[in-house]
Amino acid sequence: MKIVVLVRQTPDTEAKVKVNSDGKTIDPNGITWIINPYDEFAIEKALKIKEQVGSGEVVLLACGPTRSEEAIRQGLAMGADRAVFIKDDKLEHIDPFVTSKFLANELQNIEHDLILSGKKVIDIESSQIPIFVAETLKLPFVTFVMKINEVDFGNKKITVDRESEGKHEIVEAKLPALITCDRGDDHPRYASITGIMKAKKKEIKEISLDSIDLNSLGLSKEDLEKGARTAITNMELPPARKEAKIFEGEIPEKVAALVKALREEAKVI
Amino acid sequence: MPTQTKTKEGMSFSLNEEQELLKQTIRDFVEKEVKPHAASWDEKEEAPLSTIKKLGELGILGMPIDPKYGGSGLDMLSIALVMEELARGDGSLALTVAAHNGLACGHISNFGSEGQKQKYLPELATGKKLGGWGLTEPGSGSDAASMKTRAIKDGDHWVLNGTKMFITNGSIGETFVILAVTEPEKRQKGISAFIIEKEDKGFKAGKKLLKMGMRSSDTSELILEDVRIPDSRRIGEINKGFINTLMILDKGRISIGALAIGLAQASFEESMKYVNQRETFGKLLKEHDVIRFTLADMAVDIDAARLLIYRAATYACEGKSFTLEASMAKLFSSEMAMRVCNKGIQIHGGYGYIREFPVERYLRDAKLCDIGEGTSEIQRLVISRELFKKYGV
């Protein structure tokens, strides 16, 4: 039983994000990078499956700049067995389509019964990469999965719970399949000290960008720089939130003032 | 001056990847599982046993213990990093860990027999049992020559009598290392160490001591009345107990110094947040020079202490003598924490003095660092003694 988890590194949710003067990229100075929280849920689900089955391997697969190695090490410290890392600083700004081509290409070299990933990355709120990967590999995929109910590696099927727009669905898929994970009831484990010490000795196989034949993936060098399918034309911070209005006085007066404001200013009632 | 490793790049002030990951992991744990509860633990004056159990699962309760006995086998610098991060969330929890790890586990790890290590270390390393360590008595502390607790040989057994005071984890601990006089005329060279188990007949925790700070760290008296234990419970050679203790305390001082840094760092971070919110005289606190300069002084003080602690810990990792460096680091860090935490309250003004904000707790907690594991006066004594030795005065 082999599970591959797709891992990405994202800015910390508490990081103060600044847009570079080019208006298209984020200024990386002063940003703390973390493992994408939804990918952490995926790792947790993978480790749980491995524990339940009692054997197998959890492999992390990442594609990104050098710094992404911190996220990989964290995943290894949580308990993943080894990692494959398509590593190049030129991969900093590639679009989801190019990333998915690289990941799908590498997945052909890694034995897998199941592929897990986070349901989205929290930096640009994208959910595209894993779906592109599944499409490229012609694998069945289920998105936004809260819970993995059952994995039957013998009969090659998986049953999951997914939630989307108020619906709750139970889906069965054939293995190998790709699942994108939400939190569900999982609390990703903290890496133990022993886990951290062991992580240092675990293998991270590095794949260099130069070793990848872009033509065979239908990509050009330009796709790396400009994006093959999507390009960011402009990036700006959301406008500052307006200050809250606080009503003073006794409760009846406050309620009257609130109702008036809702009707006349906000025009919502 | 101590010799320094000279490289083309100069001295290294960077943590390695593993240490960074360790620090980050403990920080995440503390942010989610410790910080939000620290104030209520302090109010209740009760050790948070369920959180202590989680520390065991993470391997924090077996930091100095060899992996062969189920420990994490961390070096002293990594232990210092963990202590700082824990104290940044809750000083009391860090103190619980320090007494368990550095003192009880440290003593058995360093001087225990193979049999003792196999019997006691695995359950201590995983937190199944908590450890405590008893040197101090109602009438003696660092002045070990005045120790009253006696251990008298009776065949192949020892009988212990006496009272220990200010023992961290006293009423929640289950495995204790107790120092007792075996040859009174030899003064501090007539003291031996013994392992006492909670269930031993005649042994009990006395009253729980209510403290100014570190209130959710358990502190109590320990009472020994005709506690009869086999000689296999003696740790190390007879009469070497106190001499061995000095080595344990050198490392313990690095831990307490690191703990002090964590408290100061917490106070500094809270102050940084506060100055960005509170307005006085028409502008934010952070726009007043007096406040900015105070924060600058706090940061310099914290960093100076941190460098001293890192140096002492690095010496310990390298197997060099570090008695002088550990005492210097502990003295400076604990007095620094008092200065910085006091300034943290001052920046908060009235809000700093009420319990709704955490900064008053940091100061109450920091005071322990001036006293525990050798008071500041004892550190000055050790430092001057080491200096006179070095300069042949």
Side-chain angles (χ1 to χ4, degrees), chain B residues 106-127:
Chain B
H107 206 133
I108 300 174
S109 277
N110 282 290
F111 303 108
S113 66
E114 185 55 35
Q116 287 167 342
K117 288 184 198 174
Q118 282 181 13
K119 180 166 181 206
Y120 294 103
L121 292 181
E123 54 194 23
L124 288 167
T126 49

Side-chain angles (χ1 to χ4, degrees), chain A residues 79-100:
Chain A
D81 298 285
R82 64 185 182 92
V84 180
F85 181 21
I86 307 163
K87 170 179 155 181
D88 199 300
D89 286 340
K90 286 194 213 96
L91 300 172
E92 177 85 54
H93 301 302
I94 57 171
D95 75 0
F97 183 78
V98 176
T99 309
S100 68

Side-chain angles (χ1 to χ4, degrees), chain B residues 6-261:
Chain B
K6 283 189 179 135
T7 62
K8 251 190 281 181
E9 297 82 23
M11 293 170 85
S12 168
F13 291 101
S14 308
L15 300 175
N16 66 32
E17 202 186 326
E18 206 172 308
Q19 287 159 340
E20 287 284 3
L21 183 54
L22 177 67
K23 198 173 153 77
Q24 196 52 48
T25 306
I26 305 299
R27 180 165 286 219
D28 285 350
F29 176 81
V30 163
E31 284 294 328
K32 291 183 195 131
E33 316 268 344
V34 177
K35 254 193 156 177
H37 312 293
S40 75
W41 294 338
D42 177 68
E43 281 299 320
K44 285 189 207 138
E45 299 199 47
E46 258 176 30
L49 295 177
S50 62
T51 306
I52 294 171
K53 193 168 166 273
K54 286 185 193 161
L55 295 179
E57 287 161 13
L58 290 182
I60 292 175
L61 298 178
M63 289 195 287
I65 297 176
D66 193 319
K68 178 158 86 167
Y69 306 110
S72 312
L74 284 191
D75 59 80
M76 198 57 226
L77 180 56
S78 303
I79 294 176
L81 296 174
V82 175
M83 291 307 301
E84 181 185 333
E85 290 303 326
L86 285 178
R88 194 179 143 271
D90 183 21
S92 296
L93 191 66
L95 185 63
T96 305
V97 172
H100 167 88
N101 255 323
L103 302 179
C105 299
H107 206 133
I108 300 174
S109 277
N110 282 290
F111 303 108
S113 66
E114 185 55 35
Q116 287 167 342
K117 288 184 198 174
Q118 282 181 13
K119 180 166 181 206
Y120 294 103
L121 292 181
E123 54 194 23
L124 288 167
T126 49
K128 202 173 152 218
K129 288 186 177 173
L130 266 186
W133 188 81
L135 168 72
T136 305
E137 297 187 353
S140 75
S142 298
D143 165 28
S146 308
M147 187 182 289
K148 295 276 187 298
T149 299
R150 280 282 273 142
I152 294 173
K153 192 89 193 272
D154 178 19
D156 55 2
H157 279 69
W158 293 89
V159 178
L160 279 79
N161 276 290
T163 304
K164 294 289 174 184
M165 189 63 167
F166 307 135
I167 307 306
T168 303
N169 302 341
S171 62
I172 58 172
E174 296 184 60
T175 306
F176 293 89
V177 174
I178 298 290
L179 281 299
V181 177
T182 35
E183 268 189 72
E185 57 280 12
K186 288 193 174 166
R187 299 169 62 84
Q188 63 263 50
K189 287 180 182 159
I191 293 172
S192 306
F194 301 89
I195 299 173
I196 301 290
E197 295 171 13
K198 191 186 173 190
E199 300 78 24
D200 286 336
K201 199 168 163 241
F203 176 71
K204 63 171 189 210
K207 67 170 184 247
K208 179 177 162 166
L209 303 167
L210 301 178
K211 306 187 295 298
M212 164 188 176
M214 297 288 194
R215 299 202 305 179
S216 67
S217 155
D218 175 68
T219 313
S220 69
E221 289 180 326
L222 293 179
I223 298 159
L224 299 109
E225 280 173 351
D226 291 328
V227 179
R228 192 178 161 81
I229 52 165
D231 188 46
S232 61
R233 298 266 202 93
R234 172 171 49 81
I235 307 176
E237 286 176 50
I238 296 181
N239 297 340
K240 287 276 171 67
F242 188 67
I243 295 154
N244 293 344
T245 289
L246 294 178
M247 201 201 112
I248 301 296
L249 284 176
D250 282 345
K251 285 193 177 171
R253 282 166 187 164
I254 297 177
S255 285
I256 298 296
L259 193 161
I261 293 168

Side-chain angles (χ1 to χ4, degrees), chain B residues 211-317:
Chain B
K211 306 187 295 298
M212 164 188 176
M214 297 288 194
R215 299 202 305 179
S216 67
S217 155
D218 175 68
T219 313
S220 69
E221 289 180 326
L222 293 179
I223 298 159
L224 299 109
E225 280 173 351
D226 291 328
V227 179
R228 192 178 161 81
I229 52 165
D231 188 46
S232 61
R233 298 266 202 93
R234 172 171 49 81
I235 307 176
E237 286 176 50
I238 296 181
N239 297 340
K240 287 276 171 67
F242 188 67
I243 295 154
N244 293 344
T245 289
L246 294 178
M247 201 201 112
I248 301 296
L249 284 176
D250 282 345
K251 285 193 177 171
R253 282 166 187 164
I254 297 177
S255 285
I256 298 296
L259 193 161
I261 293 168
L263 291 170
Q265 179 69 28
S267 179
F268 175 76
E269 287 173 16
E270 284 300 323
S271 302
M272 270 294 192
K273 258 198 293 190
Y274 188 73
V275 299
N276 201 25
Q277 294 162 357
R278 165 90 166 146
E279 276 184 30
T280 55
F281 303 101
K283 51 186 179 178
L284 284 169
L285 275 188
K286 69 172 177 184
E287 286 156 353
H288 295 285
D289 273 349
V290 64
I291 297 292
R292 299 174 79 93
F293 292 179
T294 304
L295 286 163
D297 286 342
M298 289 163 83
V300 173
D301 227 1
I302 295 170
D303 242 23
R306 195 176 274 132
L307 290 176
L308 281 173
I309 288 289
Y310 285 6
R311 179 183 68 168
T314 303
Y315 274 27
C317 294

